[in-house]
Amino acid sequence: MTLPPNVYDAEPIPASAKAEVERLLQSGDLFRYTAPQDAPVSLMESEFAEMMGTKYALAVSSCSAALFLSLKALNLPRDARVLIPGFTFAAVPSSVAHADCVPVLCEVGENYRIDVADFEQRLDDNISAVIISHMRGHTSDMDAIMALCDARDIPVIEDAAHSLGTTWHGRKIGTIGRVGCFSFQSYKLVNAGEGGILVTDDADLVARAVIMSGAYEHNWQKHKAPEGDNAGDLQAAFAKWQNQLPLYNLRLNNLSAAIIRPQLTEVPRRVRDGRANHDYVAGLLNTSPWLAVPDKLAAEDRAPDSIQFNLVGLDNDQILAFQAAANQRGVKVQVFGQSTDNARAFWNWQFIKDLPELPQTRAMLMKACDVRLPARLKRDELDTIAGALTGAAEDVMGQARAYGT
Ligand SMILES: *Cc1c(COP(=O)(O)O)cnc(C)c1O
């Protein structure tokens, strides 16, 4: 039998990154604004914007930084209320807190997606902006969300940290709202250790974000508009905001860009393999009466590098026993709500004043399991993981069923 693989290891960085990293080490040219033009960070921004089909991209130090800058770039007043999902990574409410805004949480359903009825209700409670976090790459109903937000003229920021390569009706996730944010942290599809990027078609928004990211003095001149495309708009926006905004210095450095650039061409392959792996394992897990992988939404084509499933008919002791049995079989399962201080459980975001209760989201988090499934895994490794999970459920529940307890 194949041993369970280490699912925390990343893929090797493409060999072609080496020569460029070596060149940068030789020249010491690591700061994005030293070269007069074509610094690796600038080239990466152009390539990423082209890949996404957006006018502008701004590379920054993390997706969290991209989310924070997006909020600041929207020019929201202090204490503006920002609606976010109750199931996301702590980085999302943190970005709202850093922007001196107030996070407002909405319910998330059993399928890990925003509960649109609850979202709509809270949207009318003095909300100034929305962050849609496509948590673990699960896309919420963007048709309904955009219709509700557009009707009220509320800007939407997409947290697409885990959604690079995901599409909705064929449109790229991260390009549907006013601005989309991505991560290059090691557990995401493109790995630079750390890093992030925001994409938008809004010249005024990107000009504000560029300056606040640390393009002091006239360094914004090194951010080019796409060829022949509203270059005047971007110049005018930079002129308008010159010296008007604080600098947060959240820039990316050239070494990170050199590591990211050769991975961008790998994205379609990683998406294809990740999706095939996910759907194969989902089919195996769904054969167990105790495991349920929620269906994707019809408009969605996903790019998963992990799998989430719900435990069905297990009480809390049995959920913990399942987790222990899977661990015994060599597969580590995170049950979001069951571990102490989990950063994806909203009740641990205690920096939020008057933290609300979200019964539906809490119930989901107490039984929702998370297993990493990187695109590089092979069939026998997937069989081993799926076998460990269905076997662990059988270990705990088969006996209960046999004895009718
Ligand atoms: C990883 C992640 C983030 C944070 O990304 P960083 O680049 O580490 O700041 C935000 N949101 C989601 C959904 C994530 O998965």
Side-chain angles (χ1 to χ4, degrees):
M1 200 188 86
T2 311
L3 288 173
N6 180 349
V7 294
Y8 297 94
D9 286 351
E11 279 186 33
I13 304 303
S16 56
K18 259 194 189 152
E20 177 68 355
V21 168
E22 185 62 37
R23 186 185 73 80
L24 292 169
L25 294 182
Q26 280 298 323
S27 65
D29 179 17
L30 305 185
F31 180 52
R32 69 165 297 169
Y33 292 130
T34 301
Q37 61 198 26
D38 293 340
V41 176
S42 299
L43 295 174
M44 191 276 282
E45 286 171 339
S46 302
E47 290 159 1
F48 199 88
E50 191 182 344
M51 179 173 93
M52 299 306 292
T54 57
K55 287 185 186 165
Y56 312 110
L58 169 64
V60 289
S61 53
S62 67
C63 180
S64 302
L67 290 166
F68 162 72
L69 283 173
S70 297
L71 288 166
K72 295 299 289 182
L74 286 173
N75 213 358
L76 303 172
R78 180 176 283 272
D79 292 332
R81 290 160 60 81
V82 178
L83 188 56
I84 66 170
F87 175 44
T88 182
F89 186 54
V92 174
S94 300
S95 72
V96 179
H98 290 317
D100 295 319
C101 295
V102 177
V104 178
L105 310 188
C106 75
E107 288 273 23
V108 170
E110 277 209 317
N111 66 352
Y112 322 126
R113 290 157 176 91
I114 287 169
D115 178 325
V116 174
D118 189 67
F119 177 84
E120 178 172 9
Q121 210 166 24
R122 294 179 201 256
L123 201 56
D124 286 326
D125 189 11
N126 196 22
I127 295 298
S128 298
V130 162
I131 301 179
I132 299 300
S133 185
H134 305 291
M135 186 56 173
R136 286 295 189 268
H138 299 290
T139 312
S140 292
D141 182 347
M142 291 305 285
D143 295 344
I145 287 166
M146 292 310 297
L148 291 167
C149 292
D150 287 348
R152 293 160 180 79
D153 211 15
I154 296 175
V156 173
I157 298 169
E158 285 183 85
D159 168 16
H162 246 135
S163 296
L164 184 58
T166 299
T167 60
W168 176 260
H169 292 300
R171 284 179 69 185
K172 293 187 171 67
I173 287 298
T175 68
I176 296 174
R178 181 86 60 89
V179 51
C181 302
F182 295 87
S183 174
F184 301 125
Q185 185 263 345
S186 289
Y187 291 162
K188 316 298 160 110
L189 204 73
V190 170
N191 164 27
E194 299 281 4
I197 197 162
L198 65 84
V199 296
T200 183
D201 287 335
D202 185 326
D204 199 66
L205 186 150
V206 84
R208 287 174 55 85
V210 163
I211 291 173
M212 287 188 280
S213 77
Y216 57 91
E217 296 166 351
H218 294 156
N219 280 315
W220 51 260
Q221 287 172 343
K222 293 175 183 174
H223 290 262
K224 295 275 180 280
E227 209 64 48
D229 184 51
N230 292 333
D233 283 358
L234 190 61
Q235 293 295 313
F238 281 130
K240 178 175 163 195
W241 294 113
Q242 179 78 58
N243 300 343
Q244 302 301 311
L245 299 166
L247 308 176
Y248 295 99
N249 288 10
L250 301 165
R251 296 173 298 252
L252 194 73
N253 72 72
N254 282 338
L255 272 180
S256 300
I259 287 166
I260 291 163
R261 291 181 67 206
Q263 292 183 63
L264 296 182
T265 51
E266 301 284 317
V267 167
R269 196 253 317 151
R270 290 180 186 176
V271 169
R272 198 170 55 240
D273 291 352
R275 187 182 299 159
N277 286 356
H278 173 276
D279 293 351
Y280 178 71
V281 172
L284 294 173
L285 299 190
N286 280 331
T287 63
S288 166
W290 302 290
L291 310 179
V293 184
D295 285 335
K296 72 176 192 72
L297 301 187
E300 183 185 17
D301 278 311
R302 302 190 53 221
D305 60 7
S306 64
I307 191 163
Q308 290 71 45
F309 54 95
N310 294 324
L311 296 171
V312 182
L314 279 70
D315 65 26
N316 218 62
D317 287 344
Q318 289 166 331
I319 288 171
L320 294 174
F322 165 79
Q323 198 176 22
N327 200 25
Q328 192 82 38
R329 288 166 174 267
V331 174
K332 217 167 160 271
V333 178
Q334 162 174 240
V335 187
F336 294 106
Q338 299 283 357
S339 62
T340 309
D341 300 329
N342 192 298
R344 298 147 203 90
F346 64 84
W347 52 87
N348 292 323
W349 307 337
Q350 288 169 18
F351 53 88
I352 299 179
K353 228 174 85 196
D354 304 324
L355 196 59
E357 180 50 29
L358 301 170
Q360 185 184 322
T361 306
R362 181 184 288 266
M364 177 275 286
L365 289 167
M366 295 313 284
K367 62 175 186 186
C369 300
D370 182 41
V371 174
R372 282 182 52 75
L373 220 52
R376 63 180 162 74
L377 297 188
K378 299 288 175 258
R379 261 307 143 89
D380 54 343
E381 296 172 314
L382 300 173
D383 285 329
T384 300
I385 290 173
L389 295 171
T390 53
E394 187 66 33
D395 290 346
V396 175
M397 298 304 287
Q399 206 178 7
R401 184 172 59 175
Y403 297 106
T405 54

